[in-house]
Coordinates of all heavy atoms in Angstrom, one line a residue:
G1 N 0.1 -13.1 3.5 CA 0.0 -11.7 4.0 C 1.4 -11.0 4.0 O 2.4 -11.7 3.8
L2 N 1.4 -9.8 4.3 CA 2.6 -9.0 4.4 C 2.8 -8.5 5.8 O 1.9 -7.9 6.3 CB 2.5 -7.8 3.4 CG 3.5 -6.8 3.4 CD1 4.8 -7.3 2.9 CD2 3.1 -5.6 2.6
H3 N 3.9 -8.9 6.4 CA 4.2 -8.4 7.8 C 5.1 -7.3 7.8 O 6.2 -7.4 7.2 CB 4.8 -9.6 8.6 CG 3.9 -10.8 8.7 ND1 2.8 -10.8 9.6 CD2 3.8 -11.9 8.0 CE1 2.2 -12.0 9.4 NE2 2.8 -12.6 8.4
L4 N 4.8 -6.2 8.4 CA 5.6 -5.0 8.4 C 5.9 -4.6 9.8 O 4.9 -4.3 10.6 CB 4.8 -3.8 7.6 CG 5.5 -2.5 7.6 CD1 6.7 -2.5 6.7 CD2 4.5 -1.5 7.0
L5 N 7.1 -4.5 10.2 CA 7.5 -4.2 11.5 C 8.4 -3.0 11.5 O 9.3 -2.9 10.7 CB 8.2 -5.3 12.2 CG 7.5 -6.7 12.2 CD1 8.4 -7.8 12.8 CD2 6.2 -6.6 13.1
H6 N 8.2 -2.1 12.4 CA 9.0 -0.9 12.6 C 8.9 0.1 11.4 O 7.8 0.5 11.1 CB 10.5 -1.3 12.9 CG 10.6 -2.2 14.0 ND1 10.2 -1.9 15.3 CD2 11.1 -3.4 14.1 CE1 10.4 -2.9 16.1 NE2 10.9 -3.9 15.4
A7 N 10.0 0.4 10.7 CA 9.9 1.6 9.8 C 10.2 1.3 8.3 O 11.0 2.0 7.7 CB 10.9 2.7 10.3
S8 N 9.7 0.2 7.8 CA 9.9 0.0 6.3 C 8.9 0.9 5.6 O 7.8 1.1 6.1 CB 9.6 -1.5 6.0 OG 10.6 -2.3 6.5
E9 N 9.3 1.3 4.4 CA 8.4 2.2 3.6 C 8.3 1.7 2.2 O 9.2 1.9 1.4 CB 8.9 3.6 3.6 CG 8.9 4.2 5.0 CD 9.4 5.6 5.0 OE1 9.6 6.2 3.9 OE2 9.6 6.2 6.1
P10 N 7.1 1.1 1.8 CA 7.0 0.7 0.4 C 6.5 1.9 -0.4 O 5.8 2.8 0.0 CB 5.9 -0.4 0.5 CG 5.1 -0.1 1.7 CD 6.1 0.6 2.7
R11 N 7.0 1.9 -1.6 CA 6.5 2.9 -2.6 C 5.9 2.1 -3.8 O 6.6 1.2 -4.3 CB 7.7 3.7 -3.1 CG 7.3 4.8 -4.0 CD 8.5 5.8 -4.2 NE 8.1 6.9 -5.1 CZ 7.6 8.0 -4.7 NH1 7.4 8.3 -3.5 NH2 7.3 8.9 -5.6
L12 N 4.7 2.3 -4.1 CA 3.9 1.6 -5.0 C 3.9 2.3 -6.4 O 3.3 3.3 -6.6 CB 2.5 1.3 -4.6 CG 2.3 0.8 -3.1 CD1 0.9 0.8 -2.7 CD2 3.0 -0.5 -2.9
A13 N 4.7 1.7 -7.3 CA 4.7 2.2 -8.7 C 5.1 3.6 -8.8 O 4.7 4.4 -9.7 CB 3.4 2.0 -9.4
H14 N 5.9 4.1 -7.9 CA 6.3 5.5 -7.8 C 5.1 6.5 -7.8 O 5.2 7.6 -8.2 CB 7.2 5.9 -9.0 CG 8.5 5.1 -9.1 ND1 9.5 5.3 -8.2 CD2 8.8 4.0 -9.9 CE1 10.5 4.4 -8.5 NE2 10.1 3.6 -9.4
T15 N 4.0 6.0 -7.3 CA 2.8 6.8 -7.3 C 2.2 6.9 -5.9 O 1.7 7.9 -5.5 CB 1.7 6.1 -8.2 OG1 2.3 5.9 -9.5 CG2 0.5 6.9 -8.3
L16 N 2.2 5.8 -5.1 CA 1.6 5.8 -3.7 C 2.8 5.5 -2.8 O 3.7 4.8 -3.1 CB 0.7 4.6 -3.5 CG -0.7 4.7 -4.2 CD1 -1.4 3.4 -4.0 CD2 -1.5 5.9 -3.8
D17 N 2.7 6.2 -1.6 CA 3.7 6.0 -0.6 C 3.0 5.5 0.7 O 2.0 6.0 1.1 CB 4.5 7.2 -0.2 CG 5.5 7.6 -1.2 OD1 6.3 6.7 -1.6 OD2 5.5 8.8 -1.7
L18 N 3.5 4.4 1.3 CA 3.0 3.9 2.5 C 4.1 3.9 3.5 O 5.1 3.3 3.3 CB 2.4 2.5 2.3 CG 1.7 1.8 3.5 CD1 0.5 2.5 3.8 CD2 1.4 0.4 3.1
S19 N 3.9 4.6 4.6 CA 5.0 4.7 5.6 C 4.5 4.5 7.0 O 3.3 4.7 7.3 CB 5.7 6.1 5.5 OG 4.8 7.1 5.9
W20 N 5.4 3.9 7.8 CA 5.1 3.6 9.2 C 6.2 4.2 10.1 O 7.4 4.0 9.9 CB 5.1 2.1 9.4 CG 5.0 1.6 10.8 CD1 6.0 1.0 11.5 CD2 3.9 1.7 11.7 NE1 5.6 0.7 12.8 CE2 4.3 1.1 12.9 CE3 2.6 2.2 11.6 CZ2 3.4 1.0 14.0 CZ3 1.8 2.1 12.6 CH2 2.1 1.6 13.8
D21 N 5.8 5.1 11.1 CA 6.7 5.8 11.9 C 6.8 5.2 13.3 O 7.4 5.8 14.2 CB 6.4 7.2 11.9 CG 5.1 7.6 12.6 OD1 4.5 6.7 13.2 OD2 4.7 8.8 12.6
G22 N 6.2 4.0 13.5 CA 6.2 3.4 14.8 C 4.9 3.6 15.6 O 4.6 2.9 16.5
A23 N 4.1 4.6 15.2 CA 2.8 4.9 15.8 C 1.7 5.2 14.8 O 0.5 5.1 15.1 CB 2.9 6.2 16.7
R24 N 2.1 5.6 13.6 CA 1.1 6.0 12.6 C 1.5 5.4 11.2 O 2.6 5.5 10.7 CB 1.0 7.5 12.5 CG 0.0 8.0 11.5 CD -0.2 9.5 11.6 NE 1.0 10.1 11.0 CZ 1.1 11.4 10.9 NH1 0.1 12.2 11.3 NH2 2.2 12.0 10.4
L25 N 0.5 4.8 10.5 CA 0.6 4.3 9.2 C 0.0 5.4 8.3 O -1.1 5.9 8.5 CB -0.2 3.0 9.0 CG 0.0 2.3 7.6 CD1 1.4 1.8 7.4 CD2 -1.0 1.2 7.5
T26 N 0.8 5.9 7.3 CA 0.4 7.0 6.4 C 0.4 6.5 4.9 O 1.4 5.9 4.5 CB 1.3 8.2 6.5 OG1 1.3 8.6 7.9 CG2 0.8 9.3 5.7
L27 N -0.7 6.7 4.2 CA -0.8 6.4 2.8 C -0.9 7.8 2.1 O -1.8 8.5 2.5 CB -2.0 5.6 2.5 CG -2.3 5.3 1.0 CD1 -1.2 4.4 0.4 CD2 -3.7 4.6 0.9
S28 N 0.0 8.0 1.2 CA -0.1 9.3 0.5 C 0.0 9.2 -1.0 O 0.7 8.2 -1.5 CB 1.0 10.3 1.1 OG 2.3 9.8 0.9
R29 N -0.6 10.1 -1.7 CA -0.5 10.1 -3.2 C -0.8 11.5 -3.6 O -1.4 12.3 -3.0 CB -1.4 9.1 -3.8 CG -2.9 9.6 -3.8 CD -3.8 8.7 -4.6 NE -5.1 9.2 -4.6 CZ -5.8 9.7 -5.6 NH1 -5.2 9.8 -6.8 NH2 -7.0 10.1 -5.5
K30 N -0.3 11.8 -4.8 CA -0.5 13.1 -5.4 C -1.9 13.1 -6.2 O -2.1 12.2 -7.0 CB 0.6 13.5 -6.4 CG 0.5 14.9 -6.9 CD 1.6 15.2 -7.9 CE 2.9 15.3 -7.1 NZ 4.0 15.7 -8.0
N31 N -2.7 14.1 -5.9 CA -4.0 14.2 -6.6 C -3.7 14.5 -8.1 O -3.0 15.5 -8.4 CB -4.8 15.3 -6.0 CG -6.2 15.5 -6.6 OD1 -6.3 15.8 -7.8 ND2 -7.2 15.2 -5.8
L32 N -4.3 13.8 -9.0 CA -4.0 14.0 -10.4 C -4.5 15.3 -11.0 O -3.9 15.9 -11.9 CB -4.7 12.8 -11.2 CG -4.0 11.5 -11.1 CD1 -4.8 10.4 -11.8 CD2 -2.6 11.5 -11.5
R33 N -5.6 15.8 -10.4 CA -6.1 17.1 -10.9 C -5.4 18.3 -10.3 O -5.1 19.2 -11.0 CB -7.6 17.2 -10.6 CG -8.5 16.4 -11.6 CD -9.9 16.4 -11.2 NE -10.1 15.3 -10.3 CZ -11.1 15.1 -9.4 NH1 -12.0 16.1 -9.3 NH2 -11.2 14.1 -8.7
T34 N -5.2 18.3 -9.0 CA -4.7 19.5 -8.3 C -3.2 19.4 -8.1 O -2.5 20.5 -7.8 CB -5.3 19.7 -6.9 OG1 -5.0 18.6 -6.1 CG2 -6.9 19.7 -7.1
G35 N -2.6 18.2 -8.1 CA -1.2 18.1 -7.8 C -0.9 18.1 -6.3 O 0.3 17.9 -5.9
Q36 N -1.9 18.3 -5.5 CA -1.7 18.3 -4.0 C -1.5 16.9 -3.5 O -2.1 16.0 -4.0 CB -3.0 18.9 -3.3 CG -3.2 20.4 -3.7 CD -2.2 21.3 -3.1 OE1 -1.8 21.1 -2.0 NE2 -1.9 22.4 -3.8
I37 N -0.7 16.8 -2.4 CA -0.6 15.5 -1.8 C -1.8 15.2 -0.9 O -2.2 16.0 -0.1 CB 0.7 15.5 -0.9 CG1 1.9 15.7 -1.8 CG2 0.8 14.1 -0.1 CD1 2.2 14.6 -2.8
E38 N -2.4 14.0 -1.1 CA -3.5 13.6 -0.2 C -3.0 12.5 0.7 O -2.2 11.6 0.3 CB -4.6 13.0 -1.1 CG -5.2 14.0 -2.0 CD -6.3 13.4 -2.9 OE1 -6.3 12.2 -3.1 OE2 -7.1 14.2 -3.5
M39 N -3.4 12.5 1.9 CA -3.0 11.5 2.9 C -4.1 10.9 3.7 O -5.1 11.5 3.9 CB -2.0 12.1 3.9 CG -0.8 12.7 3.3 SD 0.3 13.3 4.6 CE 1.7 13.8 3.7
R40 N -3.9 9.6 4.0 CA -4.8 8.9 4.9 C -4.0 8.3 6.0 O -2.8 7.9 5.8 CB -5.5 7.7 4.1 CG -6.4 8.2 3.0 CD -6.8 7.0 2.1 NE -7.8 7.4 1.1 CZ -7.5 8.0 0.0 NH1 -6.2 8.4 -0.2 NH2 -8.4 8.3 -0.9
F41 N -4.5 8.3 7.2 CA -3.8 7.9 8.4 C -4.5 6.8 9.2 O -5.7 6.8 9.2 CB -3.6 9.1 9.3 CG -2.9 10.3 8.7 CD1 -3.6 11.4 8.3 CD2 -1.5 10.3 8.6 CE1 -3.0 12.5 7.7 CE2 -0.9 11.4 8.0 CZ -1.6 12.5 7.5
W42 N -3.7 6.0 9.8 CA -4.2 5.1 10.8 C -3.2 5.0 12.0 O -2.0 4.9 11.7 CB -4.3 3.7 10.1 CG -4.8 2.7 11.1 CD1 -6.1 2.4 11.5 CD2 -4.0 1.7 11.8 NE1 -6.2 1.4 12.4 CE2 -4.9 1.0 12.6 CE3 -2.7 1.5 11.9 CZ2 -4.5 0.0 13.5 CZ3 -2.2 0.5 12.8 CH2 -3.1 -0.2 13.6
R43 N -3.7 5.0 13.2 CA -2.9 5.0 14.4 C -3.2 3.7 15.2 O -4.3 3.3 15.3 CB -3.1 6.2 15.3 CG -2.7 7.5 14.7 CD -3.0 8.6 15.7 NE -3.0 9.9 15.0 CZ -1.9 10.6 14.8 NH1 -0.7 10.1 15.2 NH2 -1.9 11.8 14.2
G44 N -2.2 3.1 15.7 CA -2.3 1.9 16.5 C -1.1 1.1 16.4 O -0.1 1.4 15.8
E45 N -1.2 -0.1 17.0 CA -0.1 -1.1 16.9 C -0.2 -1.8 15.6 O -1.2 -2.5 15.3 CB -0.1 -2.0 18.1 CG 1.1 -2.9 18.1 CD 1.4 -3.5 19.5 OE1 1.0 -2.9 20.5 OE2 2.0 -4.6 19.5
L46 N 0.8 -1.8 14.8 CA 0.8 -2.5 13.5 C 1.5 -3.8 13.6 O 2.7 -4.0 13.9 CB 1.6 -1.6 12.5 CG 1.6 -2.1 11.0 CD1 0.2 -2.3 10.5 CD2 2.4 -1.2 10.1
E47 N 0.7 -4.9 13.3 CA 1.2 -6.2 13.4 C 1.3 -6.8 12.0 O 2.2 -7.6 11.7 CB 0.3 -7.1 14.2 CG 0.3 -6.7 15.7 CD -0.7 -7.4 16.5 OE1 -1.3 -8.4 16.0 OE2 -0.9 -7.0 17.7
Q48 N 0.4 -6.5 11.1 CA 0.3 -7.0 9.8 C -0.4 -6.1 8.8 O -1.4 -5.4 9.2 CB -0.4 -8.4 9.8 CG -0.5 -9.1 8.5 CD -1.4 -10.2 8.5 OE1 -2.5 -10.2 9.0 NE2 -1.0 -11.3 7.9
I49 N 0.1 -6.1 7.6 CA -0.7 -5.4 6.5 C -0.8 -6.3 5.3 O 0.1 -7.2 5.1 CB -0.1 -4.0 6.1 CG1 1.3 -4.2 5.5 CG2 -0.2 -3.0 7.2 CD1 1.8 -2.9 4.9
Q50 N -1.9 -6.3 4.6 CA -2.0 -7.0 3.3 C -2.3 -5.9 2.3 O -3.1 -5.0 2.5 CB -3.2 -7.9 3.4 CG -2.9 -9.2 4.0 CD -4.1 -10.1 3.8 OE1 -5.2 -9.8 4.2 NE2 -3.9 -11.3 3.3
L51 N -1.6 -6.0 1.2 CA -1.8 -5.1 0.1 C -2.4 -5.9 -1.1 O -1.9 -6.9 -1.5 CB -0.4 -4.6 -0.4 CG 0.4 -3.8 0.6 CD1 1.8 -3.5 -0.1 CD2 -0.3 -2.6 1.1
L52 N -3.6 -5.4 -1.5 CA -4.2 -6.0 -2.7 C -4.2 -4.9 -3.8 O -4.8 -3.9 -3.6 CB -5.7 -6.4 -2.4 CG -5.8 -7.4 -1.3 CD1 -7.3 -7.7 -1.1 CD2 -5.1 -8.7 -1.6
L53 N -3.5 -5.2 -4.9 CA -3.2 -4.2 -5.9 C -3.7 -4.8 -7.3 O -3.5 -5.9 -7.6 CB -1.7 -3.9 -6.0 CG -1.0 -3.5 -4.7 CD1 0.5 -3.5 -4.9 CD2 -1.5 -2.2 -4.2
D54 N -4.2 -3.9 -8.0 CA -4.4 -4.2 -9.5 C -3.9 -3.0 -10.3 O -3.1 -2.3 -9.8 CB -5.9 -4.5 -9.8 CG -6.9 -3.4 -9.6 OD1 -6.4 -2.2 -9.5 OD2 -8.1 -3.6 -9.6
S55 N -4.3 -2.9 -11.5 CA -3.7 -1.8 -12.3 C -4.1 -0.4 -12.0 O -3.4 0.5 -12.4 CB -4.1 -2.1 -13.8 OG -5.5 -2.0 -13.9
S56 N -5.1 -0.2 -11.1 CA -5.4 1.2 -10.7 C -5.9 1.4 -9.3 O -6.3 2.5 -9.0 CB -6.4 1.7 -11.7 OG -7.7 1.1 -11.6
S57 N -6.0 0.3 -8.5 CA -6.5 0.5 -7.2 C -5.6 -0.3 -6.2 O -5.0 -1.3 -6.5 CB -7.9 0.0 -7.0 OG -8.0 -1.4 -7.3
A58 N -5.6 0.3 -5.0 CA -4.8 -0.4 -3.9 C -5.7 -0.5 -2.7 O -6.4 0.5 -2.3 CB -3.6 0.5 -3.5
E59 N -5.8 -1.6 -2.1 CA -6.5 -1.9 -0.9 C -5.5 -2.3 0.2 O -4.7 -3.2 -0.1 CB -7.6 -3.0 -1.1 CG -8.7 -2.7 -2.1 CD -9.7 -1.7 -1.6 OE1 -9.8 -1.5 -0.3 OE2 -10.3 -1.0 -2.4
I60 N -5.5 -1.7 1.3 CA -4.6 -2.0 2.4 C -5.4 -2.4 3.6 O -6.2 -1.7 4.1 CB -3.7 -0.8 2.7 CG1 -2.9 -0.4 1.4 CG2 -2.8 -1.1 3.8 CD1 -2.5 1.0 1.4
F61 N -5.2 -3.7 4.0 CA -5.9 -4.2 5.2 C -4.9 -4.3 6.3 O -3.8 -4.9 6.2 CB -6.5 -5.6 4.9 CG -7.6 -5.5 3.8 CD1 -7.3 -5.8 2.5 CD2 -8.9 -5.2 4.2 CE1 -8.3 -5.7 1.5 CE2 -9.9 -5.1 3.2 CZ -9.5 -5.3 1.9
I62 N -5.3 -3.7 7.4 CA -4.4 -3.6 8.6 C -4.8 -4.5 9.7 O -6.0 -4.6 10.0 CB -4.5 -2.1 9.1 CG1 -4.1 -1.1 8.0 CG2 -3.6 -1.9 10.4 CD1 -4.5 0.3 8.2
N63 N -3.8 -5.3 10.2 CA -4.1 -6.2 11.3 C -5.2 -7.2 11.0 O -6.2 -7.2 11.8 CB -4.3 -5.5 12.6 CG -3.0 -4.7 13.1 OD1 -1.9 -5.0 12.6 ND2 -3.2 -3.8 14.0
Q64 N -5.1 -7.9 9.9 CA -6.1 -8.9 9.5 C -7.5 -8.3 9.4 O -8.5 -8.9 9.8 CB -6.1 -10.1 10.5 CG -4.7 -10.7 10.5 CD -4.7 -11.9 11.4 OE1 -5.7 -12.2 12.1 NE2 -3.6 -12.6 11.4
G65 N -7.6 -7.1 8.9 CA -8.9 -6.5 8.6 C -9.5 -5.6 9.7 O -10.6 -5.2 9.6
A66 N -8.7 -5.3 10.7 CA -9.2 -4.5 11.8 C -9.5 -3.1 11.3 O -10.3 -2.3 11.8 CB -8.3 -4.4 13.0
A67 N -8.7 -2.7 10.2 CA -8.9 -1.4 9.6 C -8.5 -1.5 8.1 O -7.8 -2.5 7.8 CB -8.1 -0.3 10.3
A68 N -8.9 -0.6 7.3 CA -8.5 -0.7 5.9 C -8.3 0.7 5.3 O -8.9 1.7 5.8 CB -9.6 -1.4 5.1
M69 N -7.5 0.8 4.3 CA -7.3 2.1 3.5 C -7.5 1.7 2.0 O -7.1 0.6 1.6 CB -5.9 2.6 3.7 CG -5.6 3.1 5.0 SD -3.9 3.8 5.0 CE -3.8 4.3 6.7
S70 N -8.0 2.6 1.2 CA -8.1 2.4 -0.2 C -7.6 3.6 -0.9 O -7.7 4.7 -0.5 CB -9.6 2.2 -0.6 OG -10.1 1.0 0.1
S71 N -7.2 3.4 -2.1 CA -6.7 4.5 -3.0 C -6.7 4.0 -4.4 O -6.5 2.8 -4.7 CB -5.4 5.0 -2.6 OG -5.0 6.1 -3.3
R72 N -6.9 5.0 -5.3 CA -6.7 4.8 -6.7 C -5.3 5.3 -7.1 O -4.8 6.2 -6.5 CB -7.7 5.5 -7.6 CG -9.2 5.2 -7.3 CD -9.6 3.8 -7.8 NE -9.2 3.5 -9.2 CZ -10.0 3.7 -10.3 NH1 -11.2 4.2 -10.1 NH2 -9.6 3.4 -11.5
Y73 N -4.7 4.6 -8.0 CA -3.4 5.1 -8.5 C -3.3 4.8 -10.0 O -3.9 3.8 -10.5 CB -2.3 4.6 -7.7 CG -1.9 3.1 -7.9 CD1 -0.7 2.7 -8.4 CD2 -2.8 2.1 -7.5 CE1 -0.5 1.3 -8.6 CE2 -2.6 0.8 -7.6 CZ -1.4 0.4 -8.2 OH -1.1 -0.9 -8.3
F74 N -2.5 5.6 -10.7 CA -2.4 5.4 -12.2 C -1.0 5.4 -12.6 O -0.5 6.4 -13.0 CB -3.3 6.5 -12.8 CG -4.7 6.5 -12.4 CD1 -5.1 7.3 -11.4 CD2 -5.6 5.6 -13.0 CE1 -6.5 7.3 -11.0 CE2 -6.9 5.5 -12.6 CZ -7.4 6.4 -11.6
P75 N -0.3 4.3 -12.4 CA 1.1 4.3 -12.8 C 1.3 4.4 -14.3 O 0.6 3.9 -15.1 CB 1.6 2.9 -12.3 CG 0.4 2.1 -12.2 CD -0.8 3.0 -11.9
A76 N 2.4 5.1 -14.7 CA 2.7 5.3 -16.1 C 3.4 4.0 -16.6 O 3.3 3.8 -17.8 CB 3.7 6.5 -16.2
E77 N 3.9 3.2 -15.7 CA 4.6 2.0 -16.1 C 4.0 0.8 -15.4 O 3.1 1.0 -14.5 CB 6.1 2.1 -15.9 CG 6.8 3.2 -16.5 CD 8.2 3.4 -15.9 OE1 8.6 2.6 -15.1 OE2 8.8 4.4 -16.4
K78 N 4.5 -0.4 -15.6 CA 4.1 -1.5 -14.9 C 4.4 -1.3 -13.4 O 5.5 -0.9 -13.0 CB 4.8 -2.8 -15.4 CG 4.3 -4.1 -14.8 CD 5.0 -5.3 -15.4 CE 4.4 -6.5 -14.8 NZ 4.9 -7.7 -15.4
P79 N 3.4 -1.5 -12.5 CA 3.6 -1.2 -11.1 C 4.7 -2.1 -10.5 O 4.7 -3.3 -10.7 CB 2.2 -1.6 -10.5 CG 1.2 -1.5 -11.6 CD 2.0 -1.9 -12.8
I80 N 5.5 -1.5 -9.7 CA 6.6 -2.1 -9.0 C 6.6 -1.6 -7.5 O 6.4 -0.4 -7.3 CB 8.0 -1.8 -9.6 CG1 8.0 -2.4 -11.0 CG2 9.1 -2.4 -8.7 CD1 9.3 -2.1 -11.7
I81 N 6.7 -2.5 -6.6 CA 6.8 -2.1 -5.2 C 8.3 -2.1 -4.8 O 9.0 -3.0 -5.0 CB 6.0 -3.1 -4.2 CG1 4.6 -3.1 -4.6 CG2 6.2 -2.6 -2.8 CD1 3.8 -4.1 -3.8
T82 N 8.7 -0.9 -4.2 CA 10.0 -0.9 -3.6 C 9.9 -0.6 -2.2 O 9.0 0.0 -1.7 CB 10.9 0.3 -4.3 OG1 10.1 1.5 -4.2 CG2 11.1 0.0 -5.8
W83 N 10.9 -1.1 -1.4 CA 10.9 -1.0 0.1 C 12.1 -0.3 0.6 O 13.2 -0.5 0.0 CB 10.8 -2.4 0.7 CG 9.6 -3.2 0.4 CD1 9.4 -4.0 -0.7 CD2 8.4 -3.1 1.0 NE1 8.2 -4.5 -0.7 CE2 7.5 -4.0 0.3 CE3 7.9 -2.5 2.2 CZ2 6.2 -4.2 0.7 CZ3 6.6 -2.7 2.6 CH2 5.8 -3.6 1.9
H84 N 12.0 0.5 1.6 CA 13.1 1.2 2.2 C 13.0 1.1 3.7 O 11.9 1.2 4.2 CB 13.1 2.7 1.8 CG 13.0 3.0 0.4 ND1 14.1 3.0 -0.4 CD2 12.0 3.3 -0.4 CE1 13.8 3.2 -1.7 NE2 12.5 3.4 -1.7
G85 N 14.1 0.9 4.4 CA 14.0 0.7 5.8 C 14.9 -0.4 6.3 O 15.6 -1.1 5.5
T86 N 14.9 -0.7 7.6 CA 15.7 -1.7 8.2 C 14.9 -2.7 8.9 O 15.4 -3.4 9.8 CB 16.7 -1.0 9.1 OG1 16.0 -0.3 10.1 CG2 17.7 -0.1 8.4
S87 N 13.7 -2.9 8.6 CA 12.8 -3.8 9.3 C 12.9 -5.2 8.8 O 13.3 -5.5 7.7 CB 11.3 -3.3 9.2 OG 11.2 -2.1 9.7
T88 N 12.4 -6.1 9.6 CA 12.2 -7.5 9.2 C 10.9 -7.6 8.4 O 9.9 -7.1 8.9 CB 12.1 -8.4 10.5 OG1 13.3 -8.3 11.2 CG2 11.9 -9.9 10.1
L89 N 10.9 -8.2 7.3 CA 9.8 -8.3 6.4 C 9.5 -9.7 5.9 O 10.5 -10.4 5.6 CB 10.1 -7.4 5.2 CG 9.0 -7.0 4.3 CD1 7.9 -6.1 5.0 CD2 9.6 -6.2 3.1
T90 N 8.3 -10.2 6.0 CA 7.9 -11.4 5.4 C 6.9 -11.2 4.3 O 5.9 -10.5 4.6 CB 7.3 -12.3 6.5 OG1 8.2 -12.5 7.6 CG2 6.9 -13.7 6.0
L91 N 7.2 -11.7 3.2 CA 6.3 -11.5 2.0 C 5.7 -12.8 1.5 O 6.4 -13.8 1.4 CB 7.1 -10.8 0.9 CG 7.6 -9.4 1.1 CD1 8.6 -9.0 0.0 CD2 6.5 -8.4 1.2
R92 N 4.5 -12.7 1.0 CA 3.9 -13.7 0.2 C 3.2 -13.0 -1.0 O 2.6 -12.0 -0.8 CB 2.8 -14.5 1.0 CG 3.4 -15.6 1.8 CD 2.3 -16.5 2.3 NE 2.3 -16.3 3.8 CZ 1.3 -16.6 4.5 NH1 0.2 -17.1 4.0 NH2 1.3 -16.4 5.8
Y93 N 3.4 -13.6 -2.2 CA 2.9 -13.0 -3.4 C 1.9 -14.0 -4.1 O 2.2 -15.1 -4.3 CB 4.0 -12.7 -4.3 CG 3.6 -12.2 -5.7 CD1 3.0 -11.0 -5.9 CD2 3.8 -13.0 -6.8 CE1 2.7 -10.6 -7.1 CE2 3.5 -12.6 -8.1 CZ 2.9 -11.4 -8.2 OH 2.5 -11.0 -9.5
W94 N 0.7 -13.5 -4.4 CA -0.3 -14.3 -5.1 C -0.7 -13.6 -6.4 O -1.4 -12.6 -6.3 CB -1.6 -14.5 -4.3 CG -1.4 -15.3 -3.0 CD1 -1.4 -16.6 -2.9 CD2 -1.2 -14.8 -1.7 NE1 -1.2 -17.0 -1.6 CE2 -1.1 -15.9 -0.9 CE3 -1.2 -13.5 -1.2 CZ2 -0.9 -15.8 0.5 CZ3 -1.0 -13.4 0.2 CH2 -0.9 -14.5 1.0
P95 N -0.2 -14.0 -7.5 CA -0.6 -13.4 -8.8 C -2.0 -13.8 -9.1 O -2.4 -14.9 -8.8 CB 0.4 -13.9 -9.8 CG 0.9 -15.2 -9.2 CD 0.8 -15.1 -7.7
L96 N -2.8 -12.9 -9.6 CA -4.2 -13.2 -10.0 C -4.3 -13.2 -11.5 O -3.7 -12.4 -12.2 CB -5.1 -12.1 -9.4 CG -5.1 -12.0 -7.9 CD1 -6.0 -10.8 -7.5 CD2 -5.5 -13.2 -7.2
A97 N -5.1 -14.1 -12.0 CA -5.4 -14.2 -13.4 C -6.4 -13.1 -13.8 O -7.2 -12.7 -13.0 CB -5.9 -15.6 -13.8
R98 N -6.3 -12.6 -15.0 CA -7.3 -11.7 -15.5 C -8.7 -12.3 -15.6 O -8.8 -13.5 -15.9 CB -6.9 -11.1 -16.9 CG -5.7 -10.3 -16.9 CD -5.5 -9.7 -18.3 NE -4.5 -8.7 -18.3 CZ -4.7 -7.4 -18.1 NH1 -5.9 -6.9 -17.8 NH2 -3.7 -6.5 -18.1
C99 N -9.7 -11.5 -15.3 CA -11.1 -12.0 -15.4 C -11.4 -12.0 -16.9 O -11.2 -11.0 -17.6 CB -12.0 -11.1 -14.6 SG -13.7 -11.5 -14.7
V100 N -12.1 -13.0 -17.4 CA -12.5 -13.1 -18.8 C -14.0 -13.0 -18.8 O -14.7 -13.9 -18.1 CB -12.0 -14.3 -19.5 CG1 -12.5 -14.4 -20.9 CG2 -10.5 -14.4 -19.4
I101 N -14.6 -12.1 -19.5 CA -16.0 -12.0 -19.6 C -16.4 -12.5 -21.0 O -15.9 -12.1 -22.0 CB -16.5 -10.6 -19.5 CG1 -16.1 -10.0 -18.1 CG2 -18.0 -10.5 -19.7 CD1 -16.4 -8.6 -17.9
E102 N -17.3 -13.5 -21.0 CA -17.7 -14.1 -22.3 C -19.1 -13.7 -22.6 O -19.9 -13.5 -21.9 CB -17.6 -15.6 -22.2 CG -16.1 -16.0 -22.0 CD -16.0 -17.6 -22.0 OE1 -17.0 -18.3 -22.3 OE2 -15.0 -18.0 -21.6

């Protein structure tokens, strides 16, 4: 899992932003059709988040599944997560193999 404390801010493939201000978790992205910023919010005490990402979707599970956020994203390049902030962060990474249909 991914533990996020205080105010670290990951940016997913320069397409999605996930920010924590100490009281609210915000997921934002630009709408591909309108160019408008779309946001999803969650309020509460943040103890843990899990990010499940593939080539076009992001699933964010908050506090071991107590809440969830979902979004589609379409990176122009290979997705990279960057982090900004001064928080303590514990990461675990599980690469998934592609599904093969025969």
